[in-house]
């Protein structure tokens, strides 16, 4: 307060006090700058509020579906190829030079075959005995490895002539799907369990429960290893689950309803479910087909960009079998 008294005292000695206008003139640029900052801050707050409201609105729309949009994919058909309509496809893989290997099922019609992609022609075939029902198939080095349904057995074939094979036993309760990352085999048995199998001993070394948003994903069928993920056909649906082989969580869903619906619209012949995924890792091409399907499709994935009004769990996650 001493300083204030001195200033007051000094002012009283002036016979002609200084006018206040010059002081206002000096401070007005500051006030103008302050007003500009205030307006800018106000505008920033308004913009942030608008962004927040838009985000909340989007989140509300997304919440109408049980899956974020970036976890859902539709497909574009890039190419169509002929496929044997009598092939009850259980396992499918791409080798090289437009060559596919395929495992077919049904008692008395099961086989392992080498197929030309462009024409669907069966170049070589190994038919199985009547008691064997062919299931999943994968290729590791020069070995074609196949498992069978309702048995804990499988066969190993020489990929070059399909005539040499040996029988093996695995530790899964049943044989459905089979795939490999080049080091281990991934297997399914129609339940929610994803198995890892040592290709040298053919023994199960790890099991994981496949889950999505807290629920088990049952009926894992044909498998393929794609982009460091295990992709699985879900039996009796037109869905493919993209699965993390590290923790069993579903990373995304591929919706392929348009493929089967298109076939049913144009065909009078009976077809069965979507089943069969093959990946050309060098060409980055994806192929899918189904049981008794007359076509094999090369597809390209597209993230779903519009709100999904369905229920993924109802569409892609049927209940477990009584025996699983």
């Amino acid at each position: 307060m001493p300083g204030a008294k001195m200033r007051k005292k000094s002012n009283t000695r002036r016979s002609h006090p200084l006018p206040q206008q010059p002081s206002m003139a000096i401070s007005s640029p500051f006030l103008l700058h302050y007003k500009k900052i205030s307006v800018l801050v106000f505008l920033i707050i308004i913009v942030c509020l608008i962004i927040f409201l838009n985000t909340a609105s989007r989140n509300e729309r997304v919440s109408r579906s049980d899956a974020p949009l970036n976890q859902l994919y539709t497909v574009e058909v890039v190419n169509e190829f002929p496929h044997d309509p009598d092939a009850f496809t259980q396992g499918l893989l791409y080798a090289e030079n437009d060559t596919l290997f395929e495992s077919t099922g049904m008692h008395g019609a099961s086989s392992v075959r080498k197929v030309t992609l462009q024409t669907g022609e069966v170049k070589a075939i190994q038919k199985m005995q009547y008691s064997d029902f062919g299931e999943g198939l994968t290729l590791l080095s020069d070995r074609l490895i196949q498992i069978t349904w309702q048995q804990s057995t499988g066969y190993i074939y020489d990929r070059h002539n399909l005539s040499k094979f040996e029988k093996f036993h695995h530790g899964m309760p049943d044989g459905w799907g089979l795939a490999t990352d080049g080091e281990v085999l991934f297997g399914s048995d129609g339940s929610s369990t994803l198995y890892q199998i040592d290709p040298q001993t053919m023994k199960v070394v790890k099991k994981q429960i496949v889950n999505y948003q807290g629920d088990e994903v049952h009926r894992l069928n044909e498998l393929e290893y794609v982009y460091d993920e295990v992709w699985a056909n879900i039996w009796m649906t037109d869905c493919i689950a993209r699965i993390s082989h590290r923790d069993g969580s579903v990373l995304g869903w591929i919706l392929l309803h348009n493929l089967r619906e298109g076939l049913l619209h144009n065909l009078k012949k009976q077809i069965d479910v979507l089943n069969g995924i093959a990946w050309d890792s060098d060409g980055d091409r994806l192929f899918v087909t189904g049981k008794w399907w007359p076509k094999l499709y090369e597809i390209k994935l597209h993230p779903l960009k519009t709100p999904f009004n369905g229920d993924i769990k109802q569409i892609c996650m049927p209940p477990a079998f009584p025996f699983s």
Side-chain angles (χ1 to χ4, degrees), residues 87-103:
F88 196 75
T89 304
Q90 299 287 66
L92 187 70
L93 64 94
Y94 181 89
E96 71 280 315
N97 300 324
D98 283 352
T99 297
L100 299 166
F101 286 101
E102 185 173 15
S103 171

Side-chain angles (χ1 to χ4, degrees), residues 132-151:
D132 286 329
F133 194 113
E135 284 283 348
L137 181 73
T138 194
L139 177 64
L140 186 60
S141 186
D142 286 337
R143 298 189 301 164
L144 278 169
I145 305 172
Q146 180 197 41
I147 51 180
T148 57
W149 184 48
Q150 293 186 328
Q151 302 179 61

Side-chain angles (χ1 to χ4, degrees), residues 72-77 233-241 253-266 271-275 288-289 293 297 299 301 304 308-318:
L72 301 180
Y73 301 85
T74 57
V75 298
E76 171 192 356
V77 175
N233 284 119
I234 307 301
W235 188 54
M236 297 301 290
T237 78
D238 294 309
C239 304
I240 292 175
W253 294 98
I254 304 169
L255 309 177
L256 301 106
H257 302 76
N258 58 320
L259 298 185
R260 200 161 79 96
E261 289 170 1
L263 281 176
L264 289 172
H265 180 73
N266 296 312
I271 62 171
D272 208 283
V273 297
L274 174 80
N275 201 49
V288 294
T289 190
W293 284 25
Y297 299 93
I299 60 171
L301 303 191
L304 190 64
F308 181 69
N309 296 321
D311 185 340
I312 283 295
K313 291 186 178 181
Q314 289 186 355
I315 295 172
C316 298
M317 294 172 57

Side-chain angles (χ1 to χ4, degrees), residues 24-321:
M24 293 295 295
I26 294 172
S27 63
S28 60
F30 173 77
L31 291 175
L32 182 60
H33 183 64
Y34 178 79
K35 290 179 179 178
K36 290 181 178 178
I37 292 176
S38 299
V39 170
L40 181 61
V41 170
F42 178 76
L43 291 175
I44 290 174
I45 292 174
I46 292 297
V47 170
C48 290
L49 182 60
I50 292 172
I51 292 173
F52 172 80
L53 291 175
N54 286 339
T55 301
S57 177
R58 284 198 303 271
N59 289 340
E60 182 181 0
R61 290 196 300 270
V62 170
S63 68
R64 294 172 188 169
S65 167
D66 62 350
L69 294 182
N70 60 1
Q71 290 184 351
L72 301 180
Y73 301 85
T74 57
V75 298
E76 171 192 356
V77 175
V78 179
N79 283 304
E80 296 183 4
F81 303 100
H83 179 251
D84 182 1
D86 294 324
F88 196 75
T89 304
Q90 299 287 66
L92 187 70
L93 64 94
Y94 181 89
E96 71 280 315
N97 300 324
D98 283 352
T99 297
L100 299 166
F101 286 101
E102 185 173 15
S103 171
T104 66
M106 302 300 287
H107 292 294
S110 292
S111 68
V112 172
R113 51 181 67 186
K114 181 179 181 180
V115 180
T116 300
L117 171 65
Q118 299 293 340
T119 63
E121 179 185 2
V122 178
K123 301 293 291 185
I125 188 169
Q126 175 64 252
K127 295 183 178 181
M128 304 172 70
Q129 59 188 10
Y130 186 88
S131 60
D132 286 329
F133 194 113
E135 284 283 348
L137 181 73
T138 194
L139 177 64
L140 186 60
S141 186
D142 286 337
R143 298 189 301 164
L144 278 169
I145 305 172
Q146 180 197 41
I147 51 180
T148 57
W149 184 48
Q150 293 186 328
Q151 302 179 61
S152 294
T153 58
Y155 298 96
I156 300 175
Y157 302 84
D158 185 325
R159 63 170 294 180
H160 298 292
N161 54 35
L162 303 184
S163 61
K164 299 177 182 178
F165 62 89
E166 62 182 83
K167 191 173 183 178
F168 67 89
H169 291 264
H170 55 77
M172 298 187 295
D174 198 357
W176 284 47
L178 202 62
T180 184
D181 63 354
E183 296 182 359
V184 301
L185 305 179
F186 298 98
S188 66
D189 64 356
S191 70
S192 60
T193 303
L194 180 67
Y195 298 85
Q196 294 189 25
I197 301 170
D198 184 331
Q200 301 303 319
T201 64
M202 291 298 174
K203 302 300 181 184
V204 173
V205 295
K206 186 176 181 180
K207 295 190 292 186
Q208 293 169 316
I209 298 299
V210 175
N211 64 90
Y212 177 71
Q213 294 187 349
D215 292 328
E216 294 183 24
V217 180
H218 302 281
R219 306 196 191 190
L220 301 178
N221 200 0
E222 210 269 336
L223 305 178
E224 181 64 283
Y225 186 81
V226 187
Y227 303 135
D228 197 31
E229 303 167 0
V230 177
W231 291 15
N233 284 119
I234 307 301
W235 188 54
M236 297 301 290
T237 78
D238 294 309
C239 304
I240 292 175
R242 299 177 61 166
I243 303 166
S244 168
H245 59 83
R246 294 175 177 83
D247 61 11
S249 62
V250 173
L251 305 173
W253 294 98
I254 304 169
L255 309 177
L256 301 106
H257 302 76
N258 58 320
L259 298 185
R260 200 161 79 96
E261 289 170 1
L263 281 176
L264 289 172
H265 180 73
N266 296 312
L267 287 177
K268 295 182 180 180
K269 185 180 183 297
Q270 178 187 2
I271 62 171
D272 208 283
V273 297
L274 174 80
N275 201 49
I277 312 166
W279 182 42
D280 171 13
S281 58
D282 293 332
D284 194 19
R285 295 185 296 172
L286 282 167
F287 305 96
V288 294
T289 190
K291 304 178 183 185
W292 294 329
W293 284 25
K295 292 184 180 181
L296 180 142
Y297 299 93
E298 179 187 348
I299 60 171
K300 183 177 181 181
L301 303 191
H302 294 288
L304 190 64
K305 296 181 180 179
T306 57
F308 181 69
N309 296 321
D311 185 340
I312 283 295
K313 291 186 178 181
Q314 289 186 355
I315 295 172
C316 298
M317 294 172 57
F321 295 116

